[in-house]
Amino acid sequence: MGAKKAEPELGHFDCVLAVSGTTPKVGKLVVFKTSLVFKSEMFGMDKVTIGIKRRDLDALDATSALTLKLQYKKTKSLDLQFTKSQKPYDLIVSTYKLTTGERPNFAVNDRATKGGQGSSSGGKKKKYDSGVGGAISYVTDTVMDFYENGNEKLKDILRDASRLGGVKIPPTPRLPTVDCEQVVSRCLFVRIIGAKELLAMDSGNTSDPFVVVRYRGLECATRVLPLTLTPNWDETFHFNAPPGKDELDDTDEVELLVYDKDFGGLNDFIGYCKINMAGVKVGEGDQERTAIFKSKKSDLHERDNKSPKSGNKKPGSKLLHDKELFNKPLLGKGDLPSKDNPQNGSGKRRREWIRLVSMPMDHEDSKSFDLNHVKERLMFWEGERQITGAVEVETWVGNRHDECFRVAGVPLLKKRDVEAEKALAHYVDPVTALLKVEIIKGRNILNLDDDGGSDPYCEVALVDPKGMKPEQSQATHYIDDTTAPEWDRVFNFIVAKPYSDVLELRVYDYDGATSFDDLIGKVSVPVSTLRVNKGLKNTPAEQWLTLVDKVGNTTNAAGEAYGEILVRTYLDEEYFEHLHGGDTSCEVGRLVVDVLGAEGFSDKTTTHCVVKCGPYWSRTPNVEGSNKPRWNQRLRYPVFEPGERVTVALFEGDAATAKYLGRVKLQLSCMEDGVRYSSKFQLMTQDPSSGVVKKTCLLELGLQFDYHAGGSKVAAKYMTPALPEKWYLAPMKDEEREKVTKAQKEIVVLKLKNASPPVSESASKQMLEFGKHEVNIGSIKSSIARIQRVVAGFDGISKGLTYSLSWQSIPVTALMQVWIVYLVYYPNMFAPTCLLATALWSLAKFPGRYQRVLERCTADEWLSQGLPFAPPTEEEERVKKLKEEETKKFEEEETKKAEAEAKEILGLSKEEKDAKATQAKLLSEKKAAKEKAAKAKAKADAPKETFSWESLNPLAALQKQMDDVFAMITMSQTVLDQAASCLERVAGLLTWEEPRVTAGFLCLILVTAWALVYVEVVTRFFVKVVMGIVVKTLFTIVSPAAVKFGVSAGILFVMRHPAIFPDEKTKALQEAKSRAQKEAALALTLANEDGDDEASAVVAPPMPRAPPSAPIAPLNVFFRMPTNSDRLL
């Protein structure tokens, strides 16, 4: 009794809640009169219930035939997948009377903006039954409404306070949202299994076949299998699914071209076929994962009622190694995939044989000048060739987080697709890993010299088996005359998924500069077979690898083994896990970017924007022939690190002729939860030669960062290091870290360059700030200017004190004098009042914070030119000139003093002059001898590096010196940038650059001030009351002389000599010091016996260094604060 009456159900629909990176949840969407409720039905194992009140619903998006997007509470979104999203869309629109616009299947709730009048009761209060149940329901609803409304009101108050100062906020447009993670994760996989009955194109009735796969302007190829007509490639390739499509159509055909490889000549054309992908659902991969997960859940409940024989086969198990398919008859012409063929259904995985045919006459390769096709026509001039054979393929739609993505081939751009540039495109950074190779030692290395052994060294090479990328190699030092060398070297390489490279370890015998080095043996290891290591403790064990020759033999003609090498090699994806993305369990929020339009162009032109947030990239469509382009795109990105930057750059021209016009860049930690920052931002560019900054146009944007879980995930993230722990616990050298970071960016640039539509190399380097890894004198000047600006800010303190005491403002000066008089009577309140004044000054800076965030989005014109502030005025120039004159006079006086001192020196006697000269000569000779001995010792201890023919080339030697100089300058740039960033972060603690940090720092200041006052009160009480009673009582029991003696004895005992009654710590220190002295004395004795003049330089061995550790939590917060490095052009 007394419970609230259940609402009538208006309809329910089966659907799937698919959040990328998490397990899909199968359930139902139930439509009530006042709310929408999604309930998962995962057999009682994973219960999820999400409710949306009618008044909170903002918009409904069913532009996708399979997905229904519900936007509610201004910033939140719920994406549900249906077999058809039209039915639930129509029911919700008609029931809630939503307003539809020009865009089809997109509706907004206008009544939600009118103070909640969109409720079913027309704004009337909800009625509750009498009784305990009704009272509980009333209290629950009241508390929830108070919490939600109070939270929103608090955000509105803070938002309005930060906008004080006349900032005009443009209205938020109603736009459909595109989820970037969902789009870039969907992939089309094409597996080339094998072929049979191919044409024999070479002598001996054989061929060397390989397959070229083409899709939407991208191309990839299998490896070449020599001397076979029934090849078995078994290679998988992946292509990004076309964005904006729920179902593939006739334009999504995958073409296969089979060639015979002729080494050193033109390839022979064997056959052509295509895979018709029409009707395949793009969201099929998510549905398959859902179905598999659902079947696993059901098996847990039904496995007791099933016998092992009656169990269903695993999905796709027959598709992996089914030999019956290979023996099936070839498909006839009528059996080829077509739009009306039943085989063309949207199955999860489709495996089929496709007959090879001649190149269609209307194919673009037939019309163009293709040398391979010309060769085909010349070979079969008497008539058209009769193509035979078939190819076995498997296709499916999957996800980039699937395991098969690890080894799937990456396509390259074959030709530019102009139509693709007219649509919205999305990209994602490749998953990169650190390949660590430890070359430890060798044994039984084959002796190729006449003496005691070879001079072996090991070369580590990363080779692309298809020859698409240049080889990367590094080498150890060589060791003289040995068959058991010990190198103990570590090499780092950067690889990206799919791991298609091969790691080759080659052992050579060093023969010096007079001849080429002899190859002793090598080992080839596919990178995809290496273990992906996690953590620091469970590194793979060392392995002995047997060396083989070029044909794979372990021994030479005389039966002598080539030897073995001990190595440890593995992949480590944790070094760059912060760059990968995709795991929604690590999301701290979501960023919405509205790319609206641009203006300010003098002429009509073609423009497009590129957006980057974390590992995600988006490219807006080309807008041609317009001086006011409009895109009106709303893009949503998952955020895994609040310290990430979002960058929106504008380019003029298409993908091939992109010209940089400027960018808007902002660190996400500057933004508040749910606050939309929108404006027309001024774009600027800088001439690289002159450094002059030029204003180009205005870009209209909107940015909004929404936290998950009320900001608790952001707070938890702030307590963790900004980089993965391995960067701190297993650090690399600065040079190695710089090289690795640059190599990772080069991989990203190469991938975007080969995408469709491509992102030009110059554009991607501009977005990735490639200039930080190259010599840039402007960067050094800008860092110095940033330091000067921060230091100049401290002058404001002295100016403020001068102003408060100069009677320029009578109330301020009067309050200052009152404070001084107060401190005269209560000097112990100096620190609390100073802290309180600092907190009040910081709070006074909060109202203009919104405008400062908008200013931070744009580049700083003066810092980019190396100027801390705007150029000085005429008055400032005059004052500067006067100071220079005073400085000049001072220097002249110093010069006169120096001349006088020189004359005084000339007056010394000859003996004194000779003594000084002799002393200086002896000191210089002794110093030169020490340096010479140190260089000789270092040269003797240095490992002998292998000879390089480039060392004989003076230009190569000069280039190496230039590279060293550039590396030194680059490191100087990095150090200056870090120093300027640290100073800016310190100055930003009180200026609300990062609102959460400043709020916490103000709380700390206020707590400290309160603690000082509290300590003062407690101290007074203790001194006046407690100490008076205790001292009087003590002195009545014990005489003052005894107390004084006890205190004196205690002080003397604490300050005793360490040798008197040493404690455990002192004993340990004394023992360590004694051991160090004994070792130094022993070394000195040995050095004297050997006649070493440098014995006096022998010192005790240094103490072992403390193990590295990750930064503590306050430093993690500190390093996430924004700096002005983002405002440099």
Side-chain angles (χ1 to χ4, degrees):
M1 286 185 62
K4 187 172 61 175
K5 294 182 179 179
E7 278 191 283
E9 180 182 312
L10 304 180
H12 64 272
F13 304 91
D14 294 331
C15 59
V16 176
L17 174 62
V19 180
S20 181
T22 59
T23 305
K25 298 175 178 57
V26 183
K28 290 184 178 181
L29 176 66
V30 185
V31 182
F32 294 102
K33 207 170 184 183
T34 61
S35 62
L36 302 171
V37 178
F38 169 79
K39 295 182 179 180
S40 64
E41 298 179 352
M42 306 295 287
F43 305 99
M45 299 188 65
D46 191 5
K47 296 182 180 180
V48 175
T49 302
I50 301 176
I52 303 175
K53 296 181 180 180
R54 178 175 176 179
R55 67 171 182 266
D56 295 334
L57 182 65
D58 296 327
L60 201 65
D61 185 2
T63 52
S64 171
L66 302 177
T67 305
L68 182 64
K69 298 181 180 180
L70 296 88
Q71 300 177 15
Y72 62 102
K73 289 187 177 180
K74 298 181 181 179
T75 60
K76 298 183 180 181
S77 176
L78 183 67
D79 296 351
L80 301 176
Q81 294 182 357
F82 299 83
T83 54
K84 289 185 179 180
S85 61
Q86 191 64 38
K87 290 184 178 180
Y89 172 80
D90 293 338
L91 177 61
I92 297 173
V93 169
S94 60
T95 303
Y96 292 177
K97 298 180 181 180
L98 305 183
T99 304
T100 57
E102 298 179 357
R103 185 179 179 87
N105 294 334
F106 183 77
V108 296
N109 186 10
D110 292 334
R111 304 177 68 188
T113 61
K114 300 178 181 179
Q117 297 176 5
S119 61
S120 60
S121 58
K124 297 180 181 179
K125 294 183 179 180
K126 189 182 296 184
K127 294 182 179 180
Y128 296 91
D129 294 340
S130 58
V132 179
I136 294 175
S137 300
Y138 173 75
V139 172
T140 303
D141 292 346
T142 303
V143 171
M144 290 301 299
D145 290 342
F146 178 79
Y147 171 77
E148 294 176 358
N149 296 332
N151 193 20
E152 292 296 329
K153 288 181 179 179
L154 179 60
K155 289 182 180 180
D156 292 339
I157 292 172
L158 294 176
R159 191 180 301 118
D160 295 338
S162 65
R163 291 175 181 174
L164 292 177
V167 180
K168 186 176 181 181
I169 309 300
T172 303
R174 299 278 189 173
L175 298 172
T177 304
V178 179
D179 193 327
C180 184
E181 161 65 24
Q182 187 180 31
V183 174
V184 299
S185 295
R186 292 175 175 175
C187 299
L188 172 63
F189 290 92
V190 180
R191 180 182 171 215
I192 308 299
I193 303 173
K196 63 180 180 179
E197 300 180 11
L198 298 180
L199 282 177
M201 307 302 296
D202 298 335
S203 60
N205 199 28
T206 61
S207 293
D208 305 322
F210 69 95
V211 181
V212 175
V213 186
R214 294 179 182 172
Y215 177 72
R216 286 186 169 271
L218 300 176
E219 179 181 282
C220 49
T222 65
R223 66 186 187 278
V224 178
L225 297 182
L227 305 177
T228 181
L229 298 179
T230 57
N232 182 21
W233 294 286
D234 195 16
E235 293 189 37
T236 304
F237 306 95
H238 80 274
F239 302 87
N240 288 337
K245 281 189 176 182
D246 298 320
E247 184 176 311
L248 302 181
D249 51 31
D250 293 333
T251 63
D252 295 297
E253 294 177 337
V254 179
E255 295 181 310
L256 306 179
L257 296 92
V258 186
Y259 289 98
D260 167 53
K261 181 70 175 180
D262 283 347
F263 298 94
L266 300 177
N267 300 324
D268 297 323
F269 178 78
I270 295 180
Y272 168 85
C273 65
K274 60 184 179 180
I275 309 173
N276 189 358
M277 303 300 297
V280 176
K281 300 288 191 297
V282 174
E284 205 170 77
D286 297 334
Q287 295 176 6
E288 181 179 3
R289 293 172 67 201
T290 303
I292 294 174
F293 182 77
K294 186 175 181 180
S295 65
K296 289 181 180 179
K297 293 289 187 181
S298 61
D299 288 345
L300 294 175
H301 293 270
E302 301 176 7
R303 60 185 176 184
D304 295 335
N305 300 326
K306 278 189 176 182
S307 62
K309 295 182 180 180
S310 62
N312 296 329
K313 295 183 179 180
K314 291 182 180 181
S317 60
K318 188 179 179 182
L319 302 178
L320 297 178
H321 299 286
D322 195 343
K323 300 298 183 184
E324 297 178 0
L325 286 174
F326 191 81
N327 298 322
K328 284 186 178 180
L330 298 178
L331 296 176
K333 290 185 177 180
D335 298 328
L336 292 175
S338 62
K339 203 170 184 180
D340 302 328
N341 199 330
Q343 295 180 2
N344 228 13
S346 59
K348 300 297 180 269
R349 288 197 178 198
R350 183 175 61 180
R351 186 171 179 177
E352 55 190 341
W353 284 93
I354 304 179
R355 178 182 292 278
L356 296 177
V357 297
S358 301
M359 183 78 71
M361 298 303 297
D362 59 345
H363 195 273
E364 57 183 7
D365 283 1
S366 297
K367 299 177 183 179
S368 61
F369 184 72
D370 187 356
L371 292 178
N372 297 318
H373 205 61
V374 171
K375 183 178 180 182
E376 172 199 0
R377 297 181 185 278
L378 292 176
M379 291 175 62
F380 296 88
W381 60 271
E382 65 274 7
E384 185 177 355
R385 187 195 326 187
Q386 295 298 320
I387 303 295
T388 62
V391 178
E392 185 181 12
V393 299
E394 183 180 13
T395 57
W396 71 94
V397 176
N399 195 282
R400 74 182 181 98
H401 304 292
D402 297 342
E403 185 63 26
C404 54
F405 188 84
R406 172 183 168 88
V407 294
V410 178
L412 300 177
L413 183 65
K414 173 179 172 55
K415 64 175 183 178
R416 178 182 158 209
D417 188 358
V418 180
E419 294 300 323
E421 298 183 22
K422 298 179 181 179
L424 182 65
H426 303 277
Y427 319 87
V428 65
D429 290 351
V431 176
T432 52
L434 186 68
L435 173 59
K436 295 188 75 71
V437 183
E438 299 181 23
I439 307 298
I440 303 172
K441 59 183 178 179
R443 67 184 180 187
N444 303 326
I445 301 299
L446 181 64
N447 183 12
L448 299 182
D449 298 336
D450 297 333
D451 47 12
S454 299
D455 305 325
Y457 69 91
C458 184
E459 182 184 35
V460 183
L462 198 61
V463 181
D464 183 4
K466 298 178 182 178
M468 306 299 293
K469 297 181 294 185
E471 178 180 305
Q472 306 177 48
S473 63
Q474 302 180 57
T476 67
H477 57 284
Y478 73 89
I479 300 178
D480 291 325
D481 303 332
T482 182
T483 59
E486 294 187 4
W487 296 293
D488 196 17
R489 296 286 295 272
V490 180
F491 303 99
N492 294 320
F493 295 91
I494 300 298
V495 293
K497 282 188 178 181
Y499 304 129
S500 57
D501 297 329
V502 176
L503 179 66
E504 286 193 0
L505 309 177
R506 307 164 186 156
V507 178
Y508 289 91
D509 174 35
Y510 177 63
D511 290 334
T514 58
S515 62
F516 292 98
D517 299 337
D518 300 322
L519 177 65
I520 298 177
K522 68 175 184 177
V523 180
S524 298
V525 181
V527 176
S528 59
T529 62
L530 297 178
R531 170 183 163 185
V532 179
N533 183 57
K534 296 183 180 298
L536 293 171
K537 298 182 180 180
N538 300 323
T539 54
E542 304 166 350
Q543 288 184 320
W544 284 101
L545 301 180
T546 304
L547 299 177
V548 299
D549 55 18
K550 294 182 179 180
V551 295
N553 298 323
T554 58
T555 59
N556 58 10
E560 298 174 326
Y562 295 113
E564 297 176 307
I565 55 175
L566 181 63
V567 301
R568 178 191 287 116
T569 177
Y570 56 91
L571 292 169
D572 197 330
E573 295 179 354
E574 292 179 340
Y575 265 99
F576 300 102
E577 64 182 357
H578 61 296
L579 304 176
H580 299 161
D583 185 5
T584 54
S585 62
C586 300
E587 278 189 26
V588 298
R590 293 203 173 185
L591 176 71
V592 176
V593 181
D594 294 343
V595 185
L596 303 178
E599 61 184 42
F601 296 97
S602 57
D603 301 323
K604 294 183 177 180
T605 183
T606 300
T607 53
H608 67 275
C609 288
V610 178
V611 184
K612 183 184 185 304
C613 179
Y616 302 99
W617 299 65
S618 298
R619 184 189 186 278
T620 62
N622 287 349
V623 177
E624 301 177 352
S626 175
N627 57 359
K628 289 186 178 182
R630 302 293 298 180
W631 294 281
N632 292 330
Q633 298 285 346
R634 174 165 291 172
L635 311 173
R636 185 173 63 195
Y637 303 93
V639 177
F640 306 96
E641 169 55 54
E644 277 289 352
R645 280 84 172 164
V646 55
T647 307
V648 184
L650 181 63
F651 296 90
E652 182 180 8
D654 52 22
T657 62
K659 178 184 176 183
Y660 179 67
L661 296 179
R663 57 107 177 109
V664 173
K665 187 174 183 180
L666 182 65
Q667 187 169 328
L668 301 185
S669 58
C670 294
M671 307 172 67
E672 300 174 39
D673 181 19
V675 178
R676 186 172 185 271
Y677 298 88
S678 178
S679 180
K680 294 181 180 180
F681 300 97
Q682 178 68 58
L683 302 187
M684 291 176 281
T685 58
Q686 187 176 24
D687 185 80
S689 57
S690 63
V692 177
V693 175
K694 176 184 176 183
K695 296 182 180 180
T696 55
C697 59
L698 297 176
L699 181 62
E700 186 178 358
L701 293 177
L703 305 171
Q704 183 170 326
F705 184 21
D706 301 319
Y707 301 166
H708 287 340
S712 60
K713 290 189 174 182
V714 173
K717 193 70 176 179
Y718 268 48
M719 296 297 105
T720 60
L723 295 175
E725 286 191 348
K726 285 192 175 180
W727 287 80
Y728 310 101
L729 303 182
M732 292 182 284
K733 294 182 179 179
D734 293 340
E735 298 82 1
E736 189 74 15
R737 184 172 63 248
E738 184 75 16
K739 185 180 71 173
V740 165
T741 305
K742 184 178 180 181
Q744 193 274 338
K745 291 185 178 181
E746 288 174 345
I747 292 176
V748 176
V749 170
L750 182 61
K751 179 181 178 180
L752 296 176
K753 184 179 177 181
N754 291 301
S756 180
V759 178
S760 64
E761 182 176 350
S762 60
S764 54
K765 284 187 174 182
Q766 189 73 40
M767 301 285 287
L768 291 170
E769 296 182 338
F770 228 79
K772 290 185 177 181
H773 306 284
E774 299 172 349
V775 174
N776 188 351
I777 303 301
S779 175
I780 298 177
K781 294 171 61 178
S782 298
S783 298
I784 296 174
R786 290 164 55 196
I787 295 175
Q788 291 175 346
R789 177 178 291 187
V790 175
V791 173
F794 291 103
D795 293 341
I797 300 176
S798 61
K799 292 180 180 179
L801 292 175
T802 304
Y803 173 79
S804 60
L805 297 174
S806 61
W807 292 102
Q808 296 183 22
S809 175
I810 296 178
V812 172
T813 305
L815 289 175
M816 190 69 179
Q817 292 182 354
V818 171
W819 179 64
I820 293 174
V821 173
Y822 176 76
L823 291 180
V824 170
Y825 286 92
Y826 302 98
N828 49 0
M829 298 300 293
F830 176 78
T833 52
C834 286
L835 293 175
L836 183 59
T838 303
L840 292 176
W841 178 84
S842 179
L843 288 174
K845 300 282 290 183
F846 182 77
R849 185 185 176 277
Y850 187 89
Q851 182 62 34
R852 291 197 299 273
V853 173
L854 296 180
E855 293 174 356
R856 181 173 283 278
C857 293
T858 58
D860 192 299
E861 180 179 358
W862 309 116
L863 285 180
S864 300
Q865 300 181 62
L867 300 174
F869 301 100
T873 61
E874 295 181 358
E875 179 64 21
E876 292 172 344
E877 287 286 351
R878 186 183 63 81
V879 174
K880 183 179 179 182
K881 190 175 181 180
L882 292 175
K883 289 184 178 180
E884 290 177 353
E885 292 177 354
E886 293 177 359
T887 305
K888 188 177 180 180
K889 290 181 180 179
F890 178 76
E891 290 177 353
E892 290 177 353
E893 293 176 357
E894 291 294 327
T895 305
K896 291 179 180 179
K897 290 181 180 179
E899 292 176 353
E901 291 177 357
K903 290 180 180 179
E904 183 180 351
I905 293 174
L906 292 175
L908 295 176
S909 64
K910 184 179 180 181
E911 290 78 6
E912 292 176 343
K913 292 180 182 178
D914 294 340
K916 286 190 176 184
T918 304
Q919 185 180 5
K921 185 178 180 181
L922 291 174
L923 290 175
S924 62
E925 289 178 355
K926 187 176 181 180
K927 184 177 180 182
K930 287 184 178 180
E931 291 178 353
K932 185 177 180 181
K935 289 181 180 178
K937 186 178 179 182
K939 185 177 181 181
D941 296 340
K944 307 175 187 66
E945 298 296 334
T946 57
F947 170 77
S948 173
W949 289 99
E950 295 180 354
S951 61
L952 299 179
N953 185 357
L955 295 179
L958 180 61
Q959 180 64 39
K960 184 178 180 181
Q961 293 178 4
M962 292 297 295
D963 292 341
D964 294 340
V965 173
F966 287 164
M968 182 181 65
I969 297 176
T970 304
M971 290 302 300
S972 302
Q973 293 175 196
T974 305
V975 170
L976 281 174
D977 179 72
Q978 292 176 352
S981 299
C982 288
L983 286 176
E984 289 171 347
R985 291 188 180 104
V986 171
L989 286 174
L990 296 174
T991 56
W992 299 94
E993 301 295 339
E994 212 292 354
R996 290 157 293 277
V997 174
T998 304
F1001 190 66
L1002 287 184
C1003 292
L1004 178 63
I1005 289 177
L1006 295 176
V1007 169
T1008 304
W1010 174 84
L1012 291 174
V1013 175
Y1014 178 77
V1015 168
E1016 172 65 20
V1017 174
V1018 172
T1019 303
R1020 284 186 178 183
F1021 174 78
F1022 182 78
V1023 171
K1024 292 183 177 180
V1025 181
V1026 179
M1027 288 297 294
I1029 299 174
V1030 170
V1031 169
K1032 289 181 180 180
T1033 306
L1034 181 63
F1035 284 163
T1036 56
I1037 300 174
V1038 184
S1039 65
V1043 174
K1044 293 177 182 179
F1045 175 78
V1047 173
S1048 302
I1051 293 175
L1052 292 176
F1053 179 80
V1054 173
M1055 300 178 64
R1056 72 189 182 281
H1057 190 274
I1060 303 174
F1061 302 113
D1063 55 8
E1064 295 297 329
K1065 184 177 179 181
T1066 306
K1067 286 181 180 179
L1069 291 174
Q1070 289 178 353
E1071 292 175 359
K1073 186 176 180 181
S1074 176
R1075 286 196 303 269
Q1077 290 175 352
K1078 291 179 181 179
E1079 292 175 0
L1082 179 61
L1084 180 61
T1085 304
L1086 296 175
N1088 290 331
E1089 291 176 359
D1090 296 338
D1092 189 0
D1093 295 334
E1094 299 297 325
S1096 58
V1098 177
V1099 295
M1103 297 294 292
R1105 296 178 60 184
S1109 60
I1112 58 177
L1115 291 181
N1116 297 326
V1117 177
F1118 181 76
F1119 288 130
R1120 285 184 170 89
M1121 294 185 63
T1123 65
N1124 281 327
S1125 62
D1126 298 334
R1127 304 188 64 188
L1128 303 180
L1129 290 174

